[in-house]
Every structure is written in structure tokens, then in C-alpha cells.
DNA sequence: CTCTTGCTTAACGATAGTGACAATTATTGC
DNA sequence: GCAATAATTGTCACTATCGTTAAGCAAGAG
């Protein structure tokens, strides 16, 4: 999943999708890349669970891509866990009342 | 920087460093990997600004590795920006009182 | 049915990351 | 100075990734 985010093109796609669902072709044009190349990137994003392709409405030839929430939530959780490193440094008076002390 | 996080071994290192600074050798042993191999991973982590090597105290042969805060803060900021996607979906009544309305 | 559109998959060459072994640098102790 | 330890860098083979061209597949238009 982080491997999917490790590519600038794919991050650009994610930022474009932030403004709403878009078809694959529009994304390819936006990132100045051939359709097959972007299709591969979208495949990686799908594999990482970051985006989802819907069948679309008007024209079933269009594949609408949308951001999925879960992986970002998971990343947030991991990040919070890592950042606890500094939280503990700022104040040792964490509520480790588990032991009653 | 995200490329540095995209590797399981390197994430493991980060999680180990969460518990405090450690010398390179100890990390290599913890991830069951040869010293040169881990040294390369540490190089990537340094290049991504995720960790920092200190000269150490007692034995100057030891290179103590520590987590750096900034990249995680930056990632947090980017993540918040992406997650605003859903925040807007949940309620359009965001405090966009900037315009007075 | 045929043609075009939108997208994905296959095959190919180029590029970069990964780990093992060997060699190098820096530090400690005698 | 010499040996031992801690870590990095060089070189090799292996694998994965990236973008391009060509082909395949589903959905609309005539």
C-alpha cells in the first residue's frame, strides 16, 4: 500500500481524485502519460486498495475511479503510533494507570 | 521519502527505533539481515530524512540511529489534506466563514 | 454486423532496487 | 604499529518496476 504511494505519478492521481471521481482517460491526460502506462499505475493503486473502479453511469465504457477511505485511515493509525515516540518524550506523565500507579 | 517507507524491513527498523536510538548492528540482528544489507536500508532512510545517525557516546565505532520528526509531520499534513476529501462529504457545513457566510 | 471509443493486458527493452561476499574506513585496546 | 570490532561502500547477479507499442475486450453509433 505504501509502495503504491511511493510514486509521484500515483500521488498526483490521488490528489486529482481528491476533487471527485474521474475516468481513467481524464487522469491519463492530466498526468501527461499514455493510457497503458496510467492503467498500470491504476492497477497498483487498486491492488493497494487506495482506489476503486466503478462501472460508471452514462457510458459504461468509462471506468470511474474513486478514493477509498480505509487505507488512509490505516496509515493514519500507523503514523500516530510512530509519532507517539515524540509524545512520550514531551511528557512522561502518560496515563499508564494500568498498573494503578 | 515515501519510497523509504515502502519497504517492510525499513518500516520494521522505524518501529524498532520507536523504542529509542539503537546502533546499526543491533538493528541488523533484529531484522535478521547482514550488516551491509541493513546499512543500505539505513542509507535510504537517511536520504529520506527519516532517521539520523549520531556519533554516539562511549564507543565512537557505534553509529546510533534516531528517528527524525519532520518527515512524519509532513506525511501527517499530506494525509490530512487527502482525508479532507471525506470530511467534506460528511458535512458541507465546514467553517468556511472566511467569506462571512 | 461493422466501426469507433475507452480501457486493460501482453511483450519488450531500459532502469533501478535488493542482498551476498569482499574490501575499505574509523575506532578501540594492547 | 598490529589485531579486532563496527559500519560503510564496491561489485556482482537477480528481480521488480516503468513506459512504449501492439493486441484484446467490452460498450455505444450507424
Amino acid at each position: 500500500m505504501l509502495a503504491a504511494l511511493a510514486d509521484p505519478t500515483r500521488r498526483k492521481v490521488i490528489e486529482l481524485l481528491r476533487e471527485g471521481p474521474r475516468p481513467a482517460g481524464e487522469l491519463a491526460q492530466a498526468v501527461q502519460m499514455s493510457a497503458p502506462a496510467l492503467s498500470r499505475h491504476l492497477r497498483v493503486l487498486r491492488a493497494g486498495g487506495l482506489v476503486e473502479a466503478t462501472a460508471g453511469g452514462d457510458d459504461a465504457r468509462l471506468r470511474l475511479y474513486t478514493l477509498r477511505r480505509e487505507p488512509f485511515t490505516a496509515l493514519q493509525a500507523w503514523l500516530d503510533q510512530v509519532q507517539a515516540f515524540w509524545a512520550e518524550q514531551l511528557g512522561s506523565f502518560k496515563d499508564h494507570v494500568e498498573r494503578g500507579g
Side-chain angles (χ1 to χ4, degrees), chain A:
Chain A
M1 176 252 166
L2 276 163
L5 265 65
D7 184 276
T9 301
R10 292 194 285 263
R11 281 198 299 276
K12 177 102 178 182
V13 166
I14 287 174
E15 282 160 23
L16 286 166
L17 255 41
R18 249 206 59 189
E19 299 169 13
R22 288 174 184 276
E26 200 169 321
L27 294 170
Q29 185 181 353
V31 301
Q32 298 262 77
M33 189 169 284
S34 68
L38 188 78
S39 187
R40 279 215 173 277
H41 283 298
L42 289 172
R43 183 182 185 76
V44 175
L45 287 169
R46 262 180 303 171
L50 291 158
V51 303
E52 201 172 21
T54 74
D58 304 21
D59 198 333
R61 285 176 300 183
L62 300 178
R63 277 174 77 87
L64 282 240
Y65 278 87
T66 319
L67 284 182
R68 284 189 70 244
R69 186 166 200 174
E70 295 151 31
F72 295 99
T73 306
L75 178 54
Q76 178 85 58
W78 183 80
L79 201 53
D80 287 348
Q81 195 174 342
V82 174
Q83 284 179 321
F85 175 64
W86 293 282
E88 287 171 14
Q89 281 189 340
L90 287 178
S92 301
F93 51 90
K94 273 180 74 77
D95 49 352
H96 48 49
V97 287
E98 301 168 353
R99 297 189 57 218

